Amino acid sequence: MSTDADQQSTKGAYVTGGQGFERDTAYIETRITTDGADGYPVEPGRYRLVAARACPWAHRSIIVRRLLGLEGVISQGITGPTHDRRSWTFDLDPGGVDPVLGYERLQQAYLARFPDYPKGITVPALVEVSSGQVVTNDFPQMTLDLSTQWREHHRAGAPDLWPEALREEMEPVMRRIYTEVNNGVYRCGFAGSQEAYEAAYDRLFTALDWLEERLADRRFLMGDAITEADVRLYTTLVRFDAVYHGHFKCNRTKLTEMPVLWAYARDLFQTPGFGDTTDFAHIKAHYYVVHEDINPTGIVPKGPDLSGWLTPHGREALGGSPFGDGTPPGPVAAGEEVDPAHTPLG
């Protein structure tokens, strides 16, 4: 029987005695800001983003970093898609060691700052290169800070993903997406009773129906251009048929059977920064191998067929443009490409 610490390491959350899923959201809240109020000022080259392509929460930070053109300012380390109860590991790198931090495990960065760190080791994490210490793993705040605190270093034509004029409307939209969709699929997958599962299932599909309606007459969640809200929804949608529909029993309908959301997801997938950061092989390996309690055989399914992600979506008819008055990012930085065998874009 696994301990609470084991539950955190493998799921980033607890399953409570009530048999419902509760995510542990007590993150390291240190921020990297322009004024350096927390002791970590914005400074090119000072920090390394450690992320996993498999993880939806980390995928957000990979997308936002690319959309904003911060590749030359914040370096990126990618862990393997699976991990043990201790930590995510750098098994994709030569010798299994991150070439910048010199670490085999992300856990080493956490312990460098907090020698008795008691919680699960999560991605994404921003690590100070010189000290090798984790700065923050607060993923919701992390991407907002990339948009606001690092603005001086954004590429020309970068989108405004957190526009001030829309924040009041965006906040409840993003809150509902997080509680009902991003986290909702996990409530289904890790439910400890039939009652908890069915309640989670109903909440999830109520929210997906709401999104079908919201996106029927607008190209993106907040209107004519992408924002942080779209990034947050995309990372769940792109994993839906590959993982959540079967593995997490979110099986009322597949994404491909929800016409508006399927077209919307393809629109984003075909936008630079989204599909070219999506690694389906990593996604499937993570969920089906790491979650031994749900999939004890460790068998990773061959499907689904990914070719549909490249089919026309027709969303241009709604007007707007992904980058508004800006421009798309250029080619993926050398060495950061997704393996062509892991994506239909290859």
Side-chain angles (χ1 to χ4, degrees):
M1 182 176 180
S2 59
T3 64
D4 282 349
D6 292 338
Q7 296 281 8
Q8 279 193 314
S9 296
T10 57
K11 303 172 188 174
Y14 293 101
V15 176
T16 68
Q19 298 182 309
F21 174 81
E22 289 188 13
R23 181 171 300 281
D24 180 2
T25 57
Y27 301 107
I28 301 168
E29 295 182 346
T30 309
R31 293 177 61 193
I32 299 170
T33 56
T34 52
D35 63 7
D38 288 353
Y40 294 95
V42 166
E43 184 180 318
R46 182 166 175 171
Y47 308 100
R48 185 163 178 80
L49 173 66
V50 177
R53 297 192 189 280
C55 171
W57 320 106
H59 193 183
R60 294 182 183 183
S61 62
I62 295 173
I63 292 170
V64 169
R65 173 179 172 272
R66 171 149 163 67
L67 292 178
L68 299 179
L70 292 171
E71 294 96 330
V73 180
I74 302 171
S75 68
Q76 178 175 272
I78 297 293
T79 70
T82 62
H83 58 73
D84 57 24
R85 286 190 168 92
R86 286 177 57 197
S87 178
W88 296 84
T89 56
F90 295 102
D91 47 288
L92 301 177
D93 293 307
V97 175
D98 180 89
V100 172
L101 300 174
Y103 288 155
E104 296 179 352
R105 295 174 171 274
L106 178 56
Q107 181 187 47
Q108 293 169 264
Y110 281 71
L111 297 181
R113 184 175 176 197
F114 305 106
D116 299 317
Y117 191 74
K119 302 168 69 62
I121 306 301
T122 63
V123 287
L126 280 165
V127 179
E128 185 180 41
V129 174
S130 61
S131 67
Q133 296 181 358
V134 66
V135 177
T136 182
N137 64 346
D138 187 353
F139 68 88
Q141 187 62 48
M142 188 183 298
T143 49
L144 297 181
D145 284 345
L146 291 179
S147 283
T148 58
Q149 305 301 307
W150 292 81
R151 192 178 297 274
E152 180 183 350
H153 303 286
H154 291 180
R155 65 178 177 85
D160 186 355
L161 298 175
W162 186 225
E164 192 166 357
L166 294 177
R167 291 179 192 176
E168 186 176 352
E169 181 186 357
M170 283 179 69
E171 286 178 349
V173 171
M174 294 196 301
R175 189 179 310 116
R176 187 172 183 185
I177 288 170
Y178 170 73
T179 61
E180 307 304 295
V181 180
N182 300 148
N183 204 41
V185 293
Y186 283 85
R187 278 201 308 271
C188 292
F190 291 127
S193 71
Q194 188 70 33
E195 182 181 16
Y197 162 70
E198 292 186 8
Y201 176 102
D202 290 342
R203 285 179 62 180
L204 169 65
F205 282 100
T206 295
L208 291 175
D209 289 342
W210 162 67
L211 288 165
E212 277 273 299
E213 182 178 348
R214 182 179 179 89
L215 288 163
D217 60 358
R218 64 179 80 193
R219 188 166 177 186
F220 303 105
L221 282 167
M222 304 311 302
D224 290 339
I226 56 172
T227 64
E228 171 85 16
D230 298 290
V231 175
R232 296 186 178 196
L233 178 57
Y234 171 81
T235 60
T236 295
L237 295 183
V238 81
R239 288 161 173 77
F240 201 89
D241 287 3
V243 176
Y244 302 140
H245 180 270
H247 185 58
F248 278 179
K249 306 179 185 69
C250 303
N251 62 354
R252 189 198 74 179
T253 43
K254 296 177 181 177
L255 175 65
T256 56
E257 296 166 342
M258 294 180 272
V260 173
L261 281 172
W262 175 223
Y264 163 80
R266 299 200 314 277
D267 191 1
L268 290 176
F269 183 85
Q270 294 168 31
T271 298
F274 290 85
D276 56 25
T277 62
T278 301
D279 190 317
F280 286 101
H282 279 207
I283 289 167
K284 291 195 297 183
H286 173 71
Y287 285 90
Y288 286 102
V289 173
V290 170
H291 299 158
E292 296 176 350
D293 47 349
I294 298 177
N295 187 42
T297 65
I299 294 172
V300 179
K302 288 185 67 175
D305 178 8
L306 300 177
S307 60
W309 283 100
L310 299 181
T311 59
H313 51 74
R315 299 281 292 176
E316 303 94 335
L318 294 173
S321 172
F323 298 97
D325 295 330
T327 57
V332 177
E336 296 188 1
E337 305 92 343
V338 172
D339 186 330
H342 298 177
T343 171
L345 292 172

